[in-house]
PDB file of all heavy atoms in Angstrom:
ATOM      1  N   SER A   5     228.178 350.740 -22.188  1.00 68.00           N
ATOM      2  CA  SER A   5     227.275 349.592 -22.307  1.00 68.00           C
ATOM      3  C   SER A   5     227.706 348.699 -23.453  1.00 68.00           C
ATOM      4  O   SER A   5     227.740 347.470 -23.330  1.00 68.00           O
ATOM      5  CB  SER A   5     225.839 350.068 -22.572  1.00 68.00           C
ATOM      6  OG  SER A   5     225.497 351.058 -21.665  1.00 68.00           O
ATOM      7  N   LEU A  12     231.351 340.803 -22.581  1.00 58.00           N
ATOM      8  CA  LEU A  12     230.696 339.653 -21.954  1.00 58.00           C
ATOM      9  C   LEU A  12     230.249 338.621 -22.981  1.00 58.00           C
ATOM     10  O   LEU A  12     230.339 337.419 -22.751  1.00 58.00           O
ATOM     11  CB  LEU A  12     229.498 340.117 -21.130  1.00 58.00           C
ATOM     12  CG  LEU A  12     229.855 340.851 -19.837  1.00 58.00           C
ATOM     13  CD1 LEU A  12     228.609 341.381 -19.161  1.00 58.00           C
ATOM     14  CD2 LEU A  12     230.608 339.938 -18.881  1.00 58.00           C
ATOM     15  N   CYS A  16     230.998 333.686 -24.402  1.00 49.00           N
ATOM     16  CA  CYS A  16     230.288 332.511 -24.926  1.00 49.00           C
ATOM     17  C   CYS A  16     231.194 331.642 -25.785  1.00 49.00           C
ATOM     18  O   CYS A  16     231.082 330.427 -25.800  1.00 49.00           O
ATOM     19  CB  CYS A  16     229.084 332.952 -25.742  1.00 49.00           C
ATOM     20  SG  CYS A  16     227.862 333.764 -24.707  1.00 49.00           S
ATOM     21  N   MET A  19     233.750 328.989 -23.945  1.00 48.00           N
ATOM     22  CA  MET A  19     233.328 327.803 -23.191  1.00 48.00           C
ATOM     23  C   MET A  19     234.250 326.639 -23.535  1.00 48.00           C
ATOM     24  O   MET A  19     234.873 326.630 -24.586  1.00 48.00           O
ATOM     25  CB  MET A  19     231.891 327.433 -23.563  1.00 48.00           C
ATOM     26  CG  MET A  19     230.845 328.233 -22.818  1.00 48.00           C
ATOM     27  SD  MET A  19     230.862 327.865 -21.060  1.00 48.00           S
ATOM     28  CE  MET A  19     230.033 326.295 -21.066  1.00 48.00           C
ATOM     29  N   LYS A  28     238.518 303.321 -27.077  1.00 80.00           N
ATOM     30  CA  LYS A  28     239.780 302.706 -26.638  1.00 80.00           C
ATOM     31  C   LYS A  28     240.452 302.040 -27.833  1.00 80.00           C
ATOM     32  O   LYS A  28     239.772 301.570 -28.745  1.00 80.00           O
ATOM     33  CB  LYS A  28     239.497 301.621 -25.589  1.00 80.00           C
ATOM     34  CG  LYS A  28     239.338 302.193 -24.192  1.00 80.00           C
ATOM     35  CD  LYS A  28     239.343 301.074 -23.180  1.00 80.00           C
ATOM     36  CE  LYS A  28     238.090 300.231 -23.284  1.00 80.00           C
ATOM     37  NZ  LYS A  28     238.015 299.141 -22.317  1.00 80.00           N
ATOM     38  N   GLU A  31     241.554 295.891 -28.712  1.00 82.00           N
ATOM     39  CA  GLU A  31     242.398 294.782 -28.244  1.00 82.00           C
ATOM     40  C   GLU A  31     242.787 293.928 -29.451  1.00 82.00           C
ATOM     41  O   GLU A  31     241.970 293.741 -30.355  1.00 82.00           O
ATOM     42  CB  GLU A  31     241.624 293.915 -27.257  1.00 82.00           C
ATOM     43  CG  GLU A  31     241.309 294.611 -25.939  1.00 82.00           C
ATOM     44  CD  GLU A  31     242.540 294.864 -25.107  1.00 82.00           C
ATOM     45  OE1 GLU A  31     243.439 294.003 -25.099  1.00 82.00           O
ATOM     46  OE2 GLU A  31     242.622 295.934 -24.487  1.00 82.00           O
ATOM     47  N   THR A  34     243.267 287.219 -30.430  1.00 78.00           N
ATOM     48  CA  THR A  34     244.162 286.236 -29.815  1.00 78.00           C
ATOM     49  C   THR A  34     243.922 284.842 -30.388  1.00 78.00           C
ATOM     50  O   THR A  34     242.883 284.585 -30.989  1.00 78.00           O
ATOM     51  CB  THR A  34     243.944 286.187 -28.299  1.00 78.00           C
ATOM     52  OG1 THR A  34     242.558 286.008 -28.053  1.00 78.00           O
ATOM     53  CG2 THR A  34     244.420 287.466 -27.630  1.00 78.00           C
ATOM     54  N   GLN A  36     242.761 281.226 -30.410  1.00 70.00           N
ATOM     55  CA  GLN A  36     241.608 280.683 -29.687  1.00 70.00           C
ATOM     56  C   GLN A  36     242.011 279.672 -28.609  1.00 70.00           C
ATOM     57  O   GLN A  36     241.339 279.559 -27.603  1.00 70.00           O
ATOM     58  CB  GLN A  36     240.645 280.042 -30.679  1.00 70.00           C
ATOM     59  CG  GLN A  36     239.867 281.114 -31.458  1.00 70.00           C
ATOM     60  CD  GLN A  36     238.682 280.549 -32.191  1.00 70.00           C
ATOM     61  OE1 GLN A  36     238.749 279.437 -32.694  1.00 70.00           O
ATOM     62  NE2 GLN A  36     237.611 281.305 -32.271  1.00 70.00           N
ATOM     63  N   CYS A  44     254.837 283.660 -34.786  1.00 89.00           N
ATOM     64  CA  CYS A  44     255.448 282.784 -35.793  1.00 89.00           C
ATOM     65  C   CYS A  44     256.475 281.898 -35.092  1.00 89.00           C
ATOM     66  O   CYS A  44     257.377 282.410 -34.427  1.00 89.00           O
ATOM     67  CB  CYS A  44     256.133 283.621 -36.869  1.00 89.00           C
ATOM     68  SG  CYS A  44     254.972 284.461 -37.945  1.00 89.00           S
ATOM     69  N   ASP A  46     259.599 279.154 -34.680  1.00 93.00           N
ATOM     70  CA  ASP A  46     260.879 278.919 -35.356  1.00 93.00           C
ATOM     71  C   ASP A  46     260.742 277.711 -36.281  1.00 93.00           C
ATOM     72  O   ASP A  46     259.965 276.790 -35.996  1.00 93.00           O
ATOM     73  CB  ASP A  46     261.970 278.622 -34.319  1.00 93.00           C
ATOM     74  CG  ASP A  46     262.544 279.916 -33.757  1.00 93.00           C
ATOM     75  OD1 ASP A  46     262.408 280.954 -34.422  1.00 93.00           O
ATOM     76  OD2 ASP A  46     263.123 279.878 -32.657  1.00 93.00           O
ATOM     77  N   MET A  49     264.583 271.983 -37.460  1.00 96.00           N
ATOM     78  CA  MET A  49     265.903 271.611 -37.987  1.00 96.00           C
ATOM     79  C   MET A  49     265.911 270.118 -38.352  1.00 96.00           C
ATOM     80  O   MET A  49     265.238 269.319 -37.702  1.00 96.00           O
ATOM     81  CB  MET A  49     266.985 271.858 -36.935  1.00 96.00           C
ATOM     82  CG  MET A  49     267.062 273.300 -36.482  1.00 96.00           C
ATOM     83  SD  MET A  49     267.762 274.308 -37.783  1.00 96.00           S
ATOM     84  CE  MET A  49     267.462 275.931 -37.122  1.00 96.00           C
ATOM     85  N   VAL A  50     266.716 269.801 -39.343  1.00 95.00           N
ATOM     86  CA  VAL A  50     266.879 268.383 -39.705  1.00 95.00           C
ATOM     87  C   VAL A  50     267.907 267.798 -38.739  1.00 95.00           C
ATOM     88  O   VAL A  50     269.003 268.351 -38.604  1.00 95.00           O
ATOM     89  CB  VAL A  50     267.394 268.238 -41.156  1.00 95.00           C
ATOM     90  CG1 VAL A  50     267.550 266.770 -41.542  1.00 95.00           C
ATOM     91  CG2 VAL A  50     266.470 268.953 -42.122  1.00 95.00           C
ATOM     92  N   SER A  58     263.132 260.606 -46.628  1.00 93.00           N
ATOM     93  CA  SER A  58     261.792 260.860 -46.092  1.00 93.00           C
ATOM     94  C   SER A  58     261.826 261.748 -44.843  1.00 93.00           C
ATOM     95  O   SER A  58     260.923 262.567 -44.642  1.00 93.00           O
ATOM     96  CB  SER A  58     261.076 259.545 -45.795  1.00 93.00           C
ATOM     97  OG  SER A  58     261.798 258.820 -44.843  1.00 93.00           O
ATOM     98  N   ASN A  76     249.597 283.284 -42.710  1.00 93.00           N
ATOM     99  CA  ASN A  76     248.191 283.454 -42.325  1.00 93.00           C
ATOM    100  C   ASN A  76     248.059 284.503 -41.221  1.00 93.00           C
ATOM    101  O   ASN A  76     247.145 285.328 -41.222  1.00 93.00           O
ATOM    102  CB  ASN A  76     247.657 282.092 -41.860  1.00 93.00           C
ATOM    103  CG  ASN A  76     246.241 282.161 -41.349  1.00 93.00           C
ATOM    104  OD1 ASN A  76     245.415 282.884 -41.881  1.00 93.00           O
ATOM    105  ND2 ASN A  76     245.968 281.392 -40.305  1.00 93.00           N
ATOM    106  N   TRP A  84     243.045 292.654 -39.779  1.00 93.00           N
ATOM    107  CA  TRP A  84     242.621 293.211 -38.488  1.00 93.00           C
ATOM    108  C   TRP A  84     242.793 294.732 -38.494  1.00 93.00           C
ATOM    109  O   TRP A  84     241.882 295.473 -38.124  1.00 93.00           O
ATOM    110  CB  TRP A  84     243.470 292.595 -37.374  1.00 93.00           C
ATOM    111  CG  TRP A  84     243.169 293.124 -36.001  1.00 93.00           C
ATOM    112  CD1 TRP A  84     242.209 292.680 -35.139  1.00 93.00           C
ATOM    113  CD2 TRP A  84     243.833 294.191 -35.316  1.00 93.00           C
ATOM    114  NE1 TRP A  84     242.224 293.409 -33.986  1.00 93.00           N
ATOM    115  CE2 TRP A  84     243.214 294.337 -34.056  1.00 93.00           C
ATOM    116  CE3 TRP A  84     244.890 295.034 -35.634  1.00 93.00           C
ATOM    117  CZ2 TRP A  84     243.615 295.287 -33.128  1.00 93.00           C
ATOM    118  CZ3 TRP A  84     245.284 295.987 -34.702  1.00 93.00           C
ATOM    119  CH2 TRP A  84     244.658 296.095 -33.468  1.00 93.00           C
ATOM    120  N   GLN A  88     239.688 297.202 -38.395  1.00 93.00           N
ATOM    121  CA  GLN A  88     239.565 298.012 -37.172  1.00 93.00           C
ATOM    122  C   GLN A  88     239.636 299.503 -37.509  1.00 93.00           C
ATOM    123  O   GLN A  88     238.962 300.313 -36.877  1.00 93.00           O
ATOM    124  CB  GLN A  88     240.682 297.667 -36.165  1.00 93.00           C
ATOM    125  CG  GLN A  88     240.560 296.292 -35.545  1.00 93.00           C
ATOM    126  CD  GLN A  88     239.417 296.170 -34.538  1.00 93.00           C
ATOM    127  OE1 GLN A  88     238.632 297.077 -34.347  1.00 93.00           O
ATOM    128  NE2 GLN A  88     239.319 295.014 -33.904  1.00 93.00           N
ATOM    129  N   TYR A  92     237.068 302.359 -36.543  1.00 90.00           N
ATOM    130  CA  TYR A  92     237.555 303.522 -35.787  1.00 90.00           C
ATOM    131  C   TYR A  92     237.219 304.832 -36.510  1.00 90.00           C
ATOM    132  O   TYR A  92     236.826 305.812 -35.883  1.00 90.00           O
ATOM    133  CB  TYR A  92     239.071 303.404 -35.611  1.00 90.00           C
ATOM    134  CG  TYR A  92     239.658 304.412 -34.650  1.00 90.00           C
ATOM    135  CD1 TYR A  92     239.645 304.177 -33.279  1.00 90.00           C
ATOM    136  CD2 TYR A  92     240.218 305.597 -35.114  1.00 90.00           C
ATOM    137  CE1 TYR A  92     240.178 305.087 -32.391  1.00 90.00           C
ATOM    138  CE2 TYR A  92     240.744 306.519 -34.235  1.00 90.00           C
ATOM    139  CZ  TYR A  92     240.729 306.263 -32.861  1.00 90.00           C
ATOM    140  OH  TYR A  92     241.252 307.175 -32.003  1.00 90.00           O
ATOM    141  N   SER A  94     234.794 305.227 -38.694  1.00 87.00           N
ATOM    142  CA  SER A  94     233.380 305.363 -39.067  1.00 87.00           C
ATOM    143  C   SER A  94     232.690 306.405 -38.194  1.00 87.00           C
ATOM    144  O   SER A  94     233.090 306.662 -37.066  1.00 87.00           O
ATOM    145  CB  SER A  94     232.668 304.015 -38.931  1.00 87.00           C
ATOM    146  OG  SER A  94     232.597 303.658 -37.573  1.00 87.00           O
TER     147      SER A  94
ATOM    148  N   LEU B  55     221.384 346.957 -17.232  1.00 92.00           N
ATOM    149  CA  LEU B  55     222.504 346.580 -18.110  1.00 92.00           C
ATOM    150  C   LEU B  55     223.351 345.473 -17.486  1.00 92.00           C
ATOM    151  O   LEU B  55     223.792 344.544 -18.179  1.00 92.00           O
ATOM    152  CB  LEU B  55     223.396 347.801 -18.397  1.00 92.00           C
ATOM    153  CG  LEU B  55     223.056 348.580 -19.664  1.00 92.00           C
ATOM    154  CD1 LEU B  55     224.014 349.727 -19.858  1.00 92.00           C
ATOM    155  CD2 LEU B  55     223.086 347.674 -20.887  1.00 92.00           C
ATOM    156  N   SER B  59     223.658 341.876 -19.123  1.00 92.00           N
ATOM    157  CA  SER B  59     224.978 341.317 -19.430  1.00 92.00           C
ATOM    158  C   SER B  59     225.148 339.945 -18.780  1.00 92.00           C
ATOM    159  O   SER B  59     225.556 338.979 -19.427  1.00 92.00           O
ATOM    160  CB  SER B  59     226.083 342.249 -18.923  1.00 92.00           C
ATOM    161  OG  SER B  59     225.937 343.514 -19.503  1.00 92.00           O
ATOM    162  N   TRP B  63     225.350 336.412 -20.653  1.00 88.00           N
ATOM    163  CA  TRP B  63     226.527 335.568 -20.377  1.00 88.00           C
ATOM    164  C   TRP B  63     226.097 334.143 -20.034  1.00 88.00           C
ATOM    165  O   TRP B  63     226.551 333.170 -20.621  1.00 88.00           O
ATOM    166  CB  TRP B  63     227.322 336.199 -19.228  1.00 88.00           C
ATOM    167  CG  TRP B  63     228.444 335.343 -18.717  1.00 88.00           C
ATOM    168  CD1 TRP B  63     228.367 334.307 -17.847  1.00 88.00           C
ATOM    169  CD2 TRP B  63     229.819 335.450 -19.073  1.00 88.00           C
ATOM    170  NE1 TRP B  63     229.591 333.763 -17.612  1.00 88.00           N
ATOM    171  CE2 TRP B  63     230.503 334.452 -18.364  1.00 88.00           C
ATOM    172  CE3 TRP B  63     230.528 336.308 -19.910  1.00 88.00           C
ATOM    173  CZ2 TRP B  63     231.879 334.279 -18.461  1.00 88.00           C
ATOM    174  CZ3 TRP B  63     231.899 336.130 -19.990  1.00 88.00           C
ATOM    175  CH2 TRP B  63     232.553 335.117 -19.287  1.00 88.00           C
ATOM    176  N   ASN B  70     225.586 326.675 -24.670  1.00 87.00           N
ATOM    177  CA  ASN B  70     226.812 325.955 -24.986  1.00 87.00           C
ATOM    178  C   ASN B  70     226.888 324.634 -24.222  1.00 87.00           C
ATOM    179  O   ASN B  70     227.306 323.612 -24.744  1.00 87.00           O
ATOM    180  CB  ASN B  70     228.009 326.826 -24.612  1.00 87.00           C
ATOM    181  CG  ASN B  70     229.003 326.907 -25.737  1.00 87.00           C
ATOM    182  OD1 ASN B  70     228.837 326.265 -26.763  1.00 87.00           O
ATOM    183  ND2 ASN B  70     230.041 327.692 -25.558  1.00 87.00           N
ATOM    184  N   LYS B  88     231.438 301.475 -31.357  1.00 92.00           N
ATOM    185  CA  LYS B  88     232.709 301.110 -31.992  1.00 92.00           C
ATOM    186  C   LYS B  88     233.423 300.014 -31.202  1.00 92.00           C
ATOM    187  O   LYS B  88     234.019 299.102 -31.783  1.00 92.00           O
ATOM    188  CB  LYS B  88     233.612 302.341 -32.102  1.00 92.00           C
ATOM    189  CG  LYS B  88     233.191 303.280 -33.210  1.00 92.00           C
ATOM    190  CD  LYS B  88     234.105 304.455 -33.315  1.00 92.00           C
ATOM    191  CE  LYS B  88     233.674 305.377 -34.445  1.00 92.00           C
ATOM    192  NZ  LYS B  88     234.575 306.502 -34.625  1.00 92.00           N
ATOM    193  N   GLU B  89     233.377 300.107 -29.880  1.00 91.00           N
ATOM    194  CA  GLU B  89     234.050 299.083 -29.070  1.00 91.00           C
ATOM    195  C   GLU B  89     233.378 297.727 -29.232  1.00 91.00           C
ATOM    196  O   GLU B  89     234.043 296.700 -29.297  1.00 91.00           O
ATOM    197  CB  GLU B  89     234.081 299.524 -27.603  1.00 91.00           C
ATOM    198  CG  GLU B  89     235.135 300.601 -27.369  1.00 91.00           C
ATOM    199  CD  GLU B  89     235.191 301.135 -25.954  1.00 91.00           C
ATOM    200  OE1 GLU B  89     234.366 300.702 -25.120  1.00 91.00           O
ATOM    201  OE2 GLU B  89     236.040 301.996 -25.686  1.00 91.00           O
ATOM    202  N   ALA B  92     234.394 296.421 -32.626  1.00 93.00           N
ATOM    203  CA  ALA B  92     235.794 295.974 -32.620  1.00 93.00           C
ATOM    204  C   ALA B  92     235.903 294.598 -31.965  1.00 93.00           C
ATOM    205  O   ALA B  92     236.640 293.729 -32.426  1.00 93.00           O
ATOM    206  CB  ALA B  92     236.657 296.987 -31.882  1.00 93.00           C
ATOM    207  N   LEU B  95     234.491 291.973 -34.249  1.00 93.00           N
ATOM    208  CA  LEU B  95     235.432 291.734 -35.356  1.00 93.00           C
ATOM    209  C   LEU B  95     236.561 290.817 -34.888  1.00 93.00           C
ATOM    210  O   LEU B  95     236.970 289.907 -35.610  1.00 93.00           O
ATOM    211  CB  LEU B  95     235.995 293.064 -35.867  1.00 93.00           C
ATOM    212  CG  LEU B  95     237.046 292.944 -36.968  1.00 93.00           C
ATOM    213  CD1 LEU B  95     236.418 292.422 -38.250  1.00 93.00           C
ATOM    214  CD2 LEU B  95     237.717 294.274 -37.235  1.00 93.00           C
ATOM    215  N   ASN B  96     237.067 291.046 -33.680  1.00 91.00           N
ATOM    216  CA  ASN B  96     238.136 290.202 -33.144  1.00 91.00           C
ATOM    217  C   ASN B  96     237.702 288.745 -33.055  1.00 91.00           C
ATOM    218  O   ASN B  96     238.455 287.838 -33.410  1.00 91.00           O
ATOM    219  CB  ASN B  96     238.543 290.696 -31.752  1.00 91.00           C
ATOM    220  CG  ASN B  96     239.602 291.765 -31.834  1.00 91.00           C
ATOM    221  OD1 ASN B  96     240.019 292.148 -32.917  1.00 91.00           O
ATOM    222  ND2 ASN B  96     240.042 292.256 -30.704  1.00 91.00           N
ATOM    223  N   SER B 100     239.523 285.967 -35.232  1.00 89.00           N
ATOM    224  CA  SER B 100     240.197 284.900 -34.496  1.00 89.00           C
ATOM    225  C   SER B 100     239.702 283.528 -34.971  1.00 89.00           C
ATOM    226  O   SER B 100     240.490 282.605 -35.187  1.00 89.00           O
ATOM    227  CB  SER B 100     239.929 285.094 -32.999  1.00 89.00           C
ATOM    228  OG  SER B 100     240.537 284.088 -32.275  1.00 89.00           O
ATOM    229  N   SER B 103     240.980 282.886 -38.545  1.00 91.00           N
ATOM    230  CA  SER B 103     242.408 282.567 -38.539  1.00 91.00           C
ATOM    231  C   SER B 103     242.636 281.134 -38.044  1.00 91.00           C
ATOM    232  O   SER B 103     243.449 280.397 -38.605  1.00 91.00           O
ATOM    233  CB  SER B 103     243.142 283.573 -37.641  1.00 91.00           C
ATOM    234  OG  SER B 103     244.504 283.265 -37.592  1.00 91.00           O
ATOM    235  N   ARG B 106     241.742 278.737 -40.811  1.00 95.00           N
ATOM    236  CA  ARG B 106     242.781 278.668 -41.861  1.00 95.00           C
ATOM    237  C   ARG B 106     243.997 277.902 -41.349  1.00 95.00           C
ATOM    238  O   ARG B 106     244.593 277.100 -42.065  1.00 95.00           O
ATOM    239  CB  ARG B 106     243.177 280.086 -42.291  1.00 95.00           C
ATOM    240  CG  ARG B 106     242.137 280.784 -43.142  1.00 95.00           C
ATOM    241  CD  ARG B 106     242.745 281.997 -43.849  1.00 95.00           C
ATOM    242  NE  ARG B 106     243.228 282.977 -42.909  1.00 95.00           N
ATOM    243  CZ  ARG B 106     242.537 284.043 -42.505  1.00 95.00           C
ATOM    244  NH1 ARG B 106     241.326 284.241 -42.966  1.00 95.00           N
ATOM    245  NH2 ARG B 106     243.036 284.910 -41.645  1.00 95.00           N
ATOM    246  N   ASP B 107     244.357 278.147 -40.085  1.00 93.00           N
ATOM    247  CA  ASP B 107     245.492 277.450 -39.466  1.00 93.00           C
ATOM    248  C   ASP B 107     245.268 275.934 -39.483  1.00 93.00           C
ATOM    249  O   ASP B 107     246.169 275.160 -39.798  1.00 93.00           O
ATOM    250  CB  ASP B 107     245.636 277.910 -38.008  1.00 93.00           C
ATOM    251  CG  ASP B 107     246.847 278.799 -37.815  1.00 93.00           C
ATOM    252  OD1 ASP B 107     247.416 279.239 -38.833  1.00 93.00           O
ATOM    253  OD2 ASP B 107     247.229 279.045 -36.659  1.00 93.00           O
ATOM    254  N   GLU B 157     264.791 256.247 -51.293  1.00 94.00           N
ATOM    255  CA  GLU B 157     264.746 256.201 -49.823  1.00 94.00           C
ATOM    256  C   GLU B 157     265.745 255.179 -49.277  1.00 94.00           C
ATOM    257  O   GLU B 157     266.384 255.405 -48.248  1.00 94.00           O
ATOM    258  CB  GLU B 157     263.306 255.856 -49.384  1.00 94.00           C
ATOM    259  CG  GLU B 157     263.108 255.612 -47.903  1.00 94.00           C
ATOM    260  CD  GLU B 157     263.162 256.875 -47.049  1.00 94.00           C
ATOM    261  OE1 GLU B 157     263.365 257.965 -47.613  1.00 94.00           O
ATOM    262  OE2 GLU B 157     263.036 256.757 -45.824  1.00 94.00           O
ATOM    263  N   ASN B 171     269.842 273.404 -42.367  1.00 95.00           N
ATOM    264  CA  ASN B 171     269.576 273.914 -41.016  1.00 95.00           C
ATOM    265  C   ASN B 171     269.999 275.381 -40.871  1.00 95.00           C
ATOM    266  O   ASN B 171     269.339 276.157 -40.176  1.00 95.00           O
ATOM    267  CB  ASN B 171     270.290 273.062 -39.968  1.00 95.00           C
ATOM    268  CG  ASN B 171     269.588 271.727 -39.788  1.00 95.00           C
ATOM    269  OD1 ASN B 171     268.429 271.577 -40.194  1.00 95.00           O
ATOM    270  ND2 ASN B 171     270.267 270.770 -39.189  1.00 95.00           N
ATOM    271  N   GLU B 175     267.560 278.523 -39.656  1.00 93.00           N
ATOM    272  CA  GLU B 175     267.808 279.253 -38.395  1.00 93.00           C
ATOM    273  C   GLU B 175     267.267 280.665 -38.471  1.00 93.00           C
ATOM    274  O   GLU B 175     267.262 281.278 -39.542  1.00 93.00           O
ATOM    275  CB  GLU B 175     269.311 279.305 -38.102  1.00 93.00           C
ATOM    276  CG  GLU B 175     269.780 278.152 -37.256  1.00 93.00           C
ATOM    277  CD  GLU B 175     271.278 278.201 -37.001  1.00 93.00           C
ATOM    278  OE1 GLU B 175     271.868 279.289 -37.150  1.00 93.00           O
ATOM    279  OE2 GLU B 175     271.833 277.148 -36.676  1.00 93.00           O
ATOM    280  N   ARG B 176     266.854 281.173 -37.313  1.00 89.00           N
ATOM    281  CA  ARG B 176     266.365 282.565 -37.244  1.00 89.00           C
ATOM    282  C   ARG B 176     267.532 283.505 -37.563  1.00 89.00           C
ATOM    283  O   ARG B 176     268.607 283.372 -36.970  1.00 89.00           O
ATOM    284  CB  ARG B 176     265.849 282.829 -35.831  1.00 89.00           C
ATOM    285  CG  ARG B 176     265.210 284.189 -35.648  1.00 89.00           C
ATOM    286  CD  ARG B 176     264.519 284.256 -34.319  1.00 89.00           C
ATOM    287  NE  ARG B 176     263.291 283.462 -34.345  1.00 89.00           N
ATOM    288  CZ  ARG B 176     262.110 283.918 -34.763  1.00 89.00           C
ATOM    289  NH1 ARG B 176     262.001 285.156 -35.159  1.00 89.00           N
ATOM    290  NH2 ARG B 176     261.057 283.140 -34.765  1.00 89.00           N
ATOM    291  N   PRO B 183     260.095 285.201 -31.019  1.00 62.00           N
ATOM    292  CA  PRO B 183     258.740 285.424 -30.489  1.00 62.00           C
ATOM    293  C   PRO B 183     258.626 285.052 -29.013  1.00 62.00           C
ATOM    294  O   PRO B 183     259.346 284.192 -28.559  1.00 62.00           O
ATOM    295  CB  PRO B 183     257.871 284.522 -31.347  1.00 62.00           C
ATOM    296  CG  PRO B 183     258.764 283.487 -31.890  1.00 62.00           C
ATOM    297  CD  PRO B 183     260.130 284.096 -31.980  1.00 62.00           C
TER     298      PRO B 183
END
Side-chain angles (χ1 to χ4, degrees):
Chain A
S5 311
L12 288 175
C16 294
M19 278 294 283
K28 277 191 291 181
E31 292 291 323
T34 52
Q36 285 194 324
C44 288
D46 276 339
M49 301 288 170
V50 181
S58 61
N76 176 38
W84 178 86
Q88 291 288 5
Y92 190 83
S94 68
Chain B
L55 267 181
S59 302
W63 172 279
N70 229 356
K88 284 181 179 183
E89 284 177 358
L95 177 68
N96 273 1
S100 179
S103 178
R106 286 196 298 264
D107 252 13
E157 173 73 0
N171 286 343
E175 269 179 20
R176 185 170 287 274

